[in-house]
């Protein structure tokens, strides 16, 4: 859902006047909602100008394009919807994708993304989790084999990431020494979503019995 669609869904009208985005109807909204709408307009000014001038173009898929307009400000989904909207905006900006895998909501990151940005995205996902977890069927679904492939891509970018297998056959990841906790959390989520599919793939860096 675009920023313009989100703003219009609150009942606020948008117009482009002399190259500036004008909003009408803010006075009819509760003050906290009006402030959120103003923040969206400020943060997405360039996008709004492009869209209102007819020059906008679709960006890469984030997995959250289906988001409807904001719910009622006194509804149970209000805060977590805004978390999902903020996550969709962040995902569009940094090339992230939000998906469903093995009953979980996951964010897929470019391997080179800075750990601080990963940490921030995970915080946004935490805010959005109640809303998205109740709507898993709306998210792009990944099967375990696809998740295993994503793990291999991450391993190719981070040479210190490897897997080990114990005597009982269990497998777990070993992380590069300087990885941030949020990076480990991302791989752990992927590892759990991949499940048994890891046993059917040849992982570079697999250490047996270590």
């Amino acid at each position: 859902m675009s920023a313009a669609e989100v703003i219009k869904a609150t009942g606020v009208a948008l117009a482009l006047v002399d190259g500036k985005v004008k909003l009408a109807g803010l006075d009819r909204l509760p003050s906290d909602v009006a402030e959120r709408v103003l923040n969206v307009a400020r943060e997405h000014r360039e996008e709004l100008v492009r869209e209102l001038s007819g020059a906008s173009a679709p960006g890469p898929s984030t997995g959250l394009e289906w988001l409807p307009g904001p719910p009622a400000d006194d509804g149970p989904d209000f805060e977590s919807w805004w978390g999902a909207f903020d996550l969709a905006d962040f995902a569009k900006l940094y090339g992230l994708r939000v998906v469903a895998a093995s009953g979980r909501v996951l964010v897929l990151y470019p391997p080179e993304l800075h750990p601080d940005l990963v940490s921030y995205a995970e915080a946004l996902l935490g805010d959005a989790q109640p809303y998205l977890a109740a709507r898993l069927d709306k998210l792009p679904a990944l099967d375990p084999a696809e998740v295993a492939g994503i793990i291999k891509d991450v391993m190719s970018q981070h040479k210190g990431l490897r897997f080990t297998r114990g005597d009982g056959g269990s497998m777990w990841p070993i992380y590069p020494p300087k990885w941030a906790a949020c990076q480990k959390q991302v791989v752990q989520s992927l590892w759990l979503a991949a499940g048994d599919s890891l046993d059917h793939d040849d992982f570079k860096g697999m250490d047996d019995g270590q």
Side-chain angles (χ1 to χ4, degrees), residues 97-102 136-144 146-147:
R97 190 165 181 241
V98 183
V99 300
S102 300
L136 281 176
D137 60 318
K138 301 285 190 181
L139 294 169
L142 293 184
D143 63 36
E146 289 178 292
V147 179

Side-chain angles (χ1 to χ4, degrees), residues 99-102 106 108 141-154 163 186-195 197-198 201 203:
V99 300
S102 300
L106 299 179
L108 306 182
L142 293 184
D143 63 36
E146 289 178 292
V147 179
I150 292 167
I151 293 175
K152 290 184 70 175
D153 289 341
V154 175
F163 283 76
V186 170
V187 170
Q188 185 177 46
S189 296
L190 290 169
W191 166 52
L192 293 172
S197 67
L198 296 184
D201 217 329
F203 276 90

Side-chain angles (χ1 to χ4, degrees), residues 80-157:
S80 57
W81 181 92
W82 278 103
F85 176 75
D86 290 340
L87 179 59
D89 179 44
F90 195 76
K92 186 186 301 182
L93 188 61
Y94 288 102
L96 280 54
R97 190 165 181 241
V98 183
V99 300
S102 300
R104 302 170 183 269
V105 182
L106 299 179
V107 179
L108 306 182
Y109 302 89
E112 70 279 3
L113 194 67
H114 191 280
D116 289 349
L117 297 179
V118 173
S119 182
Y120 182 66
E122 287 292 312
L124 291 178
L125 177 59
D127 293 340
Q129 188 72 232
Y131 189 88
L132 298 179
R135 297 163 177 83
L136 281 176
D137 60 318
K138 301 285 190 181
L139 294 169
L142 293 184
D143 63 36
E146 289 178 292
V147 179
I150 292 167
I151 293 175
K152 290 184 70 175
D153 289 341
V154 175
M155 291 175 71
S156 70
Q157 295 288 331

Side-chain angles (χ1 to χ4, degrees), residues 153-170:
D153 289 341
V154 175
M155 291 175 71
S156 70
Q157 295 288 331
H158 297 279
K159 302 303 183 183
L161 175 63
R162 57 192 175 89
F163 283 76
T164 189
R165 193 188 300 278
D167 293 338
S170 59

